[in-house]
Amino acid sequence: MTVRAFEYVRADDVGAAVAMVSADPAAQYLAGGTTQVDLMLKDGILEPERVVDITRLPLRGITADDRTLRVGALTTMEELAADPTVAGRLPFVRAALLAGASTQLRNMATIGGNLLQRTRCRYFRDPTVPDCNKRTPSTGCAAITGAGARMHAILGAGETCIALHASDLCVPLVALDTVVRVRGIEGERRIPLTEFYVLPGDRPDIETVLRHGDLVTGIEIPLPPAATRSGYLKVRDRASYEFALVSVAAALTVQGGTVTEARLGLGGVGTIPWRARAAEQILTGAPATVQTYRAAAEAELRDPFTVPGTAFKPELARRTIVRALAELGGGEA
Amino acid sequence: MTMTRPVIVGAGVDRVDGPLKVAGAAPYSSDIDLPGMAHVALVRSTIAAGRVTRLDTGAAEQLPGVLAVLTHHNAPRLATGPATNLGPTPPPPLQDDRVRHHGQYLAVVVAEKPYQASAAARAVTVEYEREEPVLRIEDPAGEVRTDPFGMDSARGDSAGALAAAEVVHEATYVTAENTNNPLGLFATVAQWSGGRLTVHDATQWTSNTCQTLAQMFGVPESAVRVHAKYVGGAFGSGLRVWPHVVLAVMAARTVGRPVKLVLSRPEMFTGVGHRPNTVQSLRLGAARDGRLVAIEHEALQTVAMDDENMEPVASASASAYACPNVTTRDRQRRLNIPCPGSMRAPGEAQANFALESALDELSYLLDMDPLDLRLRNYAEVQPQFGLPWSSKALRECYQVGAERFGWSRRDRRIGAMRDGRWLVGYGVAGVSYLWWQVHCEARATVGRDGTAYVRSAATDIGTGTYTVMRQLSAELLGLELDQVRFDLGDSDMPWSPQAGGSGLTGALGNAVHAACRELIRAFLRTVVNDSASPLRGCTIDDVTVSGGRIHHRADGKLGESFVAILARHGLDELTADGVSDPPDPQEVGLAPAGAFAAKFVEVHVDPELGLLRVPRVVSVVDGGRILNEKLARSQIIGATVGGIGQAILEETVTDPRTGRIANANLGDYLVAVNADIGEIDVTFVGEPDRLTPVGTKGVGEVGLPGTAAAIANAVHHATGKRIRSLPITIDELLD
Ligand SMILES: Cc1cc2nc3c(=O)[nH]c(=O)nc-3n(C[C@H](O)[C@H](O)[C@H](O)COP(=O)(O)OP(=O)(O)OC[C@H]3O[C@@H](n4cnc5c(N)ncnc54)[C@H](O)[C@@H]3O)c2cc1C
Ligand code: SF4
């Protein structure tokens, strides 16, 4: 355990918090702290000089109309999972939440924090490892040659970085075209979740389109049509309290044996929460059969980037997609 | 004297330390705070092999609150510790500039506050001259030690028997490195005053910690006192005096104040041992009817460059089955790794996986039920000594287990059983646990208020020693439970061996037995010429105890209470010491038996997604006399959970380039959680062991081995896949 001295500030006004962090490159937000405190105090890879606690800001709560569910950024994962609209209309969001972390963590962890959780890459999280492009640009990537890269990404990954975005919640959210509400010094913006994250490319250290000091104030989840069936399937060795090796969030509308709408998100495989657009394209308008699901899965995993530790993941991902879709849409031979 | 009816002993008495622990009021060593106490943080190596060329502590020393920074430049030279029955003491830290593993301690910072110490530890800069580390068990660059324990064995002619055997099975089995991960972080609080040292430690062995620290720091043992009243688990990691304990003592002496050192979770991965990984080759030869004609078991395990680990693996196979031709060989490869150490069922956990998997494979070659194959080769007498076992109910374990599990419902065809999408497999494994017992001492006192105080320097690492020894003392002295206090965890008390090797309950139980008998003798001596006493002239064989009284065996009314004797003789109390030593097998004509067990496991496998679940484990255990059914059952349950972890989850991952442990935290190192555990059924069978008066056999470890093999065997039954390496994970099960 290592600690460097920092100043702790409790924010009670959204504008003031944004102004304070935007003006100070060494300031960082603290929400539930389940990522932030680990990285500061246990791993010692974040060293803010000032920590701005946003948990008292009035950004907690859930409202819904027929079309949209609005969730404040400081709503906890448990609160969102318990919401009746989520249970009724977004069962796969609830399933993804409850398949994540542990009850204790979910009681602390916020929705804004979940979107912005940092990768679990074991090389990123150890300051004694010098080569990590995400932590220090242009130093290389220890994970690519290292051991135990099972928990790494195969989509959106490359030689510069294979770090996984490990959120479960973001998998159905990205499939649903969720919108992120952001407050910056210049005011409010609405950013689709599908455009919120940035692939590692040459700069794995840049993870989102946010600017320093931007505050996530909430998310807006469009509610799917009543006929949509959705499910979340998470595959992992440990039956609980483990991140996904592969997960699939699927929402299907099937009419007369044909898929009329398909939304598909993948977890455990992407450097960002993965929207499976290639698969969706194949699914839409096609017969709801296992052949279609398999073709969709093949299309999405046409060109994975694997290292020895992740070599098994493309096939596991394909099968998990097929299983998730078959459970919703039927069509098993 | 005979033992009274076992009403107190055997009963499922609740743990006497339970309420304190649940209330958070049991003081573990990390809870000890002393006035004026300073705090210690450690600087660890970030390379695995080489030399420290520069260690700059200047910046750290300037930081607020820092009292001292110790490195190999200014640390006092220490003597090496004593050798124990587990081998040598780990070498003292900070004695030279060599780096032998990633995570090795290079400096110690002492400061007023814990956060000041850790901030200063980060400010220490280290420069190295790197050498190429040797990190993999297959790496020929690592020196190999042959027969490191002097326990290699050979009987008959295994090579010849294999060559002539009708059926031969040969395969290599691999087990991963596991880390003990007790919940409680190890902590040491050390205080010197006037040349005397007091230590509060998370140790399984106060007597040895006392002797070791005395020897290393050059003070008499009588000047050192080690307390370990409560230990937050250890699973073997508290058996040795690890370098951090020595560093805390060194730091306290340097700053002349009490200090506290609490290891972090990552430090627990490099500083207190781990189960070494193994590569084992097995060759079994059998006749067509299933009789084993040859067993060859060779095991290679890992060990550190500069330390030792007593962990016989292959030798366990020498006594498991009746087989005339058996060869076992152990080897260790030296690597630049933190030293391995005991972890619940050391050696056995790895060996049993190999042997019991191999037997299962052989059963398919013979087209025989795997349970029948085990019974066919049942060792009626101890096969190495040719002596009858002091007790053995393994056959009953198999029989009762098969019945409770429903083994007869097993469809022998592979992949024939299903539960919806899941393939269902049944697997079995047998366990013949090694016997381990050593010298132990205890002291018993009965006072004028009629209560007893019994104690020993032993430790209770969460297994229930406080409870069972109080039960046993109460029975032996004819008192109620609440009239007895049993205390432990203090090296000033009579010498005790480690809480390890499933040997403490036996050794301590027999020492307590001896002490209580001695105490009754002391009472009888007091009244030997006392005309007022109905016990005058009695010997211990004439009497028994109950209700706080010693009385004639034949006539319960003829006797008197402890209190009456003490009062009439003007005594405040009487005290007696007891000693137990392991019996010599040849002398008694019995082969000492450890516990035996049979494990029956059901697994479910989703072959498409590679998912593996273990909904059911049936364990039947011959643990000799069971002192407390509830606590013994908890031991088997906990060990089974550990075995499931070993089988399907646990793996300490070392980075192959740097030697850094990549998953040194409880988020990334996967232990089994509730959702991984289904039904665990535990039954005890068998009789009190004949070798000792108390008749126990240890049950702390026997529940773990067998689990992994039975799971692997069940996976094969379900899927046809033979997984010979642990843990068994999704990627290996994908069709
Ligand atoms: C052991 C463990 C297991 C876990 N398992 C899972 C799992 O299985 N599935 C899963 O999905 N997640 C899992 N998590 C991750 C967990 O869900 C996240 O840590 C949590 O959601 C983060 O939320 P928080 O409120 O604690 O964020 P914090 O830790 O407070 O913050 C996280 C980051 O986001 C920034 N931040 C927070 N809120 C805002 C905001 N409103 N605006 C701008 N920036 C902000 C912080 O500065 C920080 O950089 C696990 C975590 C742990 C520790
Ligand atoms: S995968 Fe990314 S985060 Fe991990 S070590 Fe490589 S660059 Fe760093």
Side-chain angles (χ1 to χ4, degrees):
Chain A
M1 212 218 305
T2 49
V3 187
R4 193 170 123 167
F6 58 85
E7 181 195 2
Y8 170 89
V9 182
R10 181 177 287 164
D12 44 24
D13 176 81
V14 170
V18 171
M20 178 183 287
V21 174
S22 297
D24 178 0
Q28 288 170 2
Y29 292 121
L30 173 70
T34 59
T35 290
Q36 183 72 15
V37 173
D38 274 8
L39 294 181
M40 287 171 56
L41 305 189
K42 293 193 190 154
D43 302 324
I45 64 158
L46 291 183
E47 300 193 312
E49 285 165 18
R50 181 185 285 174
V51 168
V52 179
D53 180 352
I54 56 174
T55 51
R56 310 296 158 102
L57 294 179
L59 298 173
R60 187 164 182 170
I62 305 164
T63 56
D65 56 32
D66 333 333
R67 308 230 314 273
T68 313
L69 187 81
R70 294 186 172 73
V71 185
L74 293 169
T75 308
T76 66
M77 289 171 73
E78 274 294 308
E79 286 166 350
L80 186 58
D83 181 78
T85 310
V86 173
R89 302 282 303 275
L90 300 165
F92 70 154
V93 173
R94 177 179 154 84
L97 283 162
L98 295 180
S102 63
T103 315
Q104 293 89 331
L105 282 159
R106 295 193 301 265
N107 277 326
M108 289 298 291
T110 65
I111 301 307
N114 192 291
L115 263 48
L116 291 167
Q117 64 176 279
R118 306 297 300 277
T119 184
R120 312 300 301 184
C121 173
R122 298 158 177 172
Y123 299 87
F124 171 75
R125 287 182 176 239
D126 187 336
T128 70
V129 174
D131 36 352
C132 172
N133 289 326
K134 190 185 275 302
R135 196 160 15 84
T136 321
S138 307
T139 50
C141 171
I144 291 206
T145 51
R150 302 173 85 229
M151 283 288 168
H152 281 76
I154 54 171
L155 297 177
E159 295 292 346
T160 54
C161 181
I162 54 172
L164 180 71
H165 193 288
S167 170
D168 286 295
L169 171 64
C170 289
V171 183
L173 292 189
V174 78
L176 285 166
D177 285 315
T178 298
V179 172
V180 186
R181 294 212 324 270
V182 175
R183 174 82 171 267
I185 31 171
E186 280 139 32
E188 279 250 342
R189 318 202 290 289
R190 295 174 75 254
I191 307 171
L193 194 58
T194 49
E195 292 163 26
F196 185 77
Y197 297 102
V198 182
L199 289 173
D202 293 338
R203 290 295 303 274
D205 56 316
I206 301 172
E207 297 180 346
T208 68
V209 298
L210 295 184
R211 285 177 302 238
H212 181 74
D214 281 350
L215 183 75
V216 172
T217 55
I219 57 173
E220 295 169 3
I221 312 175
L223 294 172
T228 304
R229 298 190 60 204
S230 75
Y232 187 69
L233 179 57
K234 182 172 182 177
V235 175
R236 48 183 164 179
D237 286 302
R238 185 154 76 176
S240 166
Y241 196 23
E242 191 190 5
F243 291 93
L245 278 173
V246 172
S247 71
V248 175
L252 273 194
T253 317
V254 179
Q255 278 171 358
T258 301
V259 178
T260 55
E261 200 195 345
R263 291 175 174 277
L264 202 64
L266 304 182
V269 292
T271 52
I272 62 174
W274 200 258
R275 177 71 178 268
R277 294 219 191 259
E280 288 177 3
Q281 245 169 36
I282 295 209
L283 288 166
T284 311
T289 63
V290 168
Q291 286 78 356
T292 302
Y293 308 149
R294 184 75 204 179
E298 298 285 355
E300 196 59 49
L301 285 133
R302 183 139 296 149
D303 192 21
F305 179 89
T306 59
V307 296
T310 55
F312 70 100
K313 288 181 93 169
E315 181 54 21
L316 181 61
R318 288 181 202 110
R319 292 181 189 189
T320 311
I321 292 171
V322 174
R323 172 74 63 84
L325 291 171
E327 277 177 2
L328 295 175
E332 274 185 280
Chain B
M1 195 188 88
T2 53
M3 279 202 208
T4 48
R5 229 167 7 102
V7 275
I8 302 178
V9 167
V13 173
D14 288 348
R15 303 161 69 107
V16 298
D17 49 338
L20 266 187
K21 286 187 173 170
V22 172
Y28 296 90
S29 58
S30 55
D31 297 320
I32 305 289
D33 286 317
L34 300 175
M37 190 170 77
H39 296 268
V40 171
L42 301 165
V43 178
R44 294 186 299 155
S45 167
T46 60
I47 68 165
R51 229 164 46 77
V52 173
T53 51
R54 208 170 73 92
L55 240 171
D56 186 350
T57 59
E61 280 157 7
Q62 299 311 308
L63 287 173
V66 173
L67 301 168
V69 183
L70 289 168
T71 69
H72 68 274
H73 292 301
N74 59 352
R77 299 301 100 174
L78 300 177
T80 49
T84 73
N85 52 20
L86 293 178
T89 302
L94 303 190
Q95 302 294 297
D96 60 33
D97 64 357
R98 301 294 310 169
V99 176
R100 298 171 183 91
H101 69 85
H102 202 285
Q104 177 186 316
Y105 304 128
L106 299 181
V108 179
V109 179
V110 196
E112 296 286 349
K113 303 280 182 216
Y115 61 86
Q116 292 171 330
S118 70
R122 282 186 74 186
V124 173
T125 53
V126 187
E127 287 169 22
Y128 305 95
E129 185 182 293
R130 285 160 202 270
E131 287 163 19
E132 199 53 47
V134 189
L135 294 169
R136 289 172 304 112
I137 193 168
E138 328 55 63
D139 191 336
E143 177 207 340
V144 171
R145 306 180 64 219
T146 51
D147 194 11
F149 319 112
M151 287 174 71
D152 284 4
S153 70
R155 65 172 182 267
D157 169 15
S158 61
L162 273 172
E166 288 171 342
V167 181
V168 173
H169 165 68
E170 174 167 1
T172 299
Y173 300 85
V174 174
T175 62
E177 187 175 310
N178 297 156
T179 298
N180 304 48
N181 278 317
L183 200 53
L185 297 173
F186 277 17
T188 306
V189 172
Q191 178 172 34
W192 288 90
S193 59
R196 296 186 60 82
L197 170 65
T198 308
V199 171
H200 298 264
D201 192 31
T203 176
Q204 294 173 249
W205 196 1
T206 61
S207 296
N208 178 53
T209 305
C210 170
Q211 284 165 328
T212 303
L213 293 174
Q215 189 161 322
M216 278 192 176
F217 288 89
V219 294
E221 272 170 42
S222 58
V224 180
R225 185 167 181 185
V226 177
H227 298 276
K229 290 289 171 194
Y230 299 96
V231 179
F235 308 115
S237 53
L239 290 172
R240 306 184 75 207
V241 183
W242 295 107
H244 72 271
V245 180
V246 178
L247 290 175
V249 173
M250 188 194 276
R253 193 182 234 185
T254 303
V255 299
R257 287 167 55 171
V259 306
K260 180 191 256 185
L261 186 163
V262 185
L263 292 186
S264 66
R265 185 58 64 182
E267 286 163 353
M268 292 285 288
F269 277 78
T270 55
V272 296
H274 62 263
R275 191 193 297 294
N277 50 321
T278 65
V279 176
Q280 304 174 54
S281 79
L282 250 296
R283 282 179 291 277
L284 302 181
R288 270 268 149 241
D289 66 0
R291 267 178 311 108
L292 284 170
V293 297
I295 301 174
E296 287 188 353
H297 189 168
E298 287 170 19
L300 175 65
Q301 60 180 302
T302 57
V303 69
M305 283 293 173
D306 62 334
D307 196 1
E308 308 301 338
N309 175 40
M310 171 80 181
E311 183 141 355
V313 175
S315 64
S317 292
S319 53
Y321 289 99
C323 175
N325 306 295
V326 179
T327 306
T328 69
R329 286 178 58 202
D330 272 299
R331 288 177 303 145
Q332 286 180 313
R333 175 148 357 242
R334 289 210 183 276
L335 300 179
N336 289 106
I337 56 168
C339 198
S342 295
M343 175 167 167
R344 201 173 201 172
E348 287 257 356
Q350 301 99 309
N352 184 282
F353 168 67
L355 179 64
E356 292 294 310
S357 294
L359 240 90
D360 200 71
E361 298 202 51
L362 181 65
S363 77
Y364 284 91
L365 293 180
L366 294 164
D367 195 22
M368 221 178 144
D369 183 294
L371 183 54
D372 294 342
L373 178 62
R374 288 172 171 85
L375 292 170
R376 176 75 45 92
N377 293 289
Y378 193 80
E380 300 286 355
V381 296
Q382 212 279 4
Q384 283 169 292
F385 310 141
L387 290 172
W389 298 94
S390 55
S391 60
K392 180 170 183 174
L394 178 57
R395 179 174 281 115
E396 210 180 333
C397 292
Y398 285 126
Q399 278 158 357
V400 172
E403 196 156 306
R404 293 186 74 85
F405 182 80
W407 184 255
S408 61
R409 291 198 301 273
R410 178 178 188 262
D411 183 331
R412 286 183 52 204
R413 292 165 305 153
I414 283 171
M417 294 168 68
R418 278 188 169 267
D419 179 0
R421 204 190 286 287
W422 299 87
L423 295 169
V424 174
Y426 286 2
V428 64
V431 184
S432 299
Y433 208 80
L434 292 176
W435 173 86
W436 163 265
Q437 201 163 303
V438 283
H439 177 81
C440 185
E441 300 169 12
R443 182 167 298 151
T445 300
V446 167
R448 272 287 264 280
D449 62 356
T451 67
Y453 172 45
V454 185
R455 64 276 197 196
S456 168
T459 55
D460 183 339
I461 56 172
T463 48
T465 312
Y466 277 115
T467 310
V468 294
M469 290 306 147
R470 191 202 269 195
Q471 288 174 269
L472 190 62
S473 306
E475 180 182 279
L476 290 164
L477 294 172
L479 296 171
E480 295 301 316
L481 266 187
D482 61 9
Q483 293 176 297
V484 176
R485 185 158 74 90
F486 185 86
D487 205 4
L488 49 66
D490 178 349
S491 64
D492 273 4
M493 292 175 177
W495 195 92
S496 166
Q498 59 271 58
S502 297
L504 181 63
T505 301
L508 179 57
N510 290 317
V512 165
H513 180 267
C516 290
R517 274 176 72 91
E518 257 327 293
L519 184 58
I520 292 164
R521 282 202 188 93
F523 273 94
L524 292 176
R525 276 197 300 275
T526 307
V527 297
V528 70
N529 294 317
D530 180 350
S531 54
S533 175
L535 299 168
R536 173 170 43 98
C538 284
T539 70
I540 192 148
D541 293 323
D542 303 330
V543 300
T544 185
V545 286
S546 65
R549 295 168 71 246
I550 309 176
H551 52 81
H552 282 259
R553 256 175 208 260
D555 181 357
K557 290 198 275 308
L558 211 55
E560 60 177 329
S561 67
F562 295 121
V563 175
I565 295 173
L566 291 172
R568 205 169 52 252
H569 289 266
L571 296 168
D572 287 338
E573 59 177 41
L574 277 176
T575 294
D577 286 349
V579 169
S580 76
D581 280 295
D584 178 346
Q586 299 300 339
E587 210 165 277
V588 279
L590 292 174
F596 296 93
K599 289 274 185 189
F600 293 83
V601 166
E602 176 174 338
V603 302
H604 291 186
V605 178
D606 180 330
E608 223 173 76
L609 301 185
L611 298 173
L612 166 59
R613 300 289 180 252
V614 186
R616 210 153 63 90
V617 181
V618 170
S619 308
V620 184
V621 178
D622 163 16
R625 185 167 180 234
I626 300 300
L627 297 179
N628 182 324
E629 216 268 349
K630 183 177 181 183
L631 296 184
R633 172 181 302 276
S634 296
Q635 284 302 304
I636 304 303
I637 294 172
T640 302
V641 171
I644 292 173
Q646 183 202 16
I648 68 174
L649 294 167
E650 296 191 40
E651 177 169 19
T652 309
V653 179
T654 298
D655 187 81
R657 290 181 317 162
T658 61
R660 161 185 165 269
I661 293 175
N663 59 343
N665 61 70
L666 287 180
D668 291 324
Y669 180 92
L670 302 183
V671 298
V673 296
N674 269 327
D676 296 301
I677 306 303
E679 193 186 319
I680 297 185
D681 180 82
V682 178
T683 308
F684 292 102
V685 297
E687 299 287 325
D689 189 75
R690 289 183 285 168
L691 206 60
T692 65
V694 178
T696 62
K697 302 196 275 190
V699 294
E701 293 168 299
V702 65
L704 192 146
T707 315
I711 288 174
N713 296 343
V715 164
H716 177 261
H717 178 229
T719 66
K721 277 182 193 294
R722 178 59 68 178
I723 313 286
R724 299 193 184 91
S725 95
L726 298 181
I728 302 169
T729 50
I730 283 173
D731 36 318
E732 291 165 297
L733 292 174
L734 287 178
D735 255 344

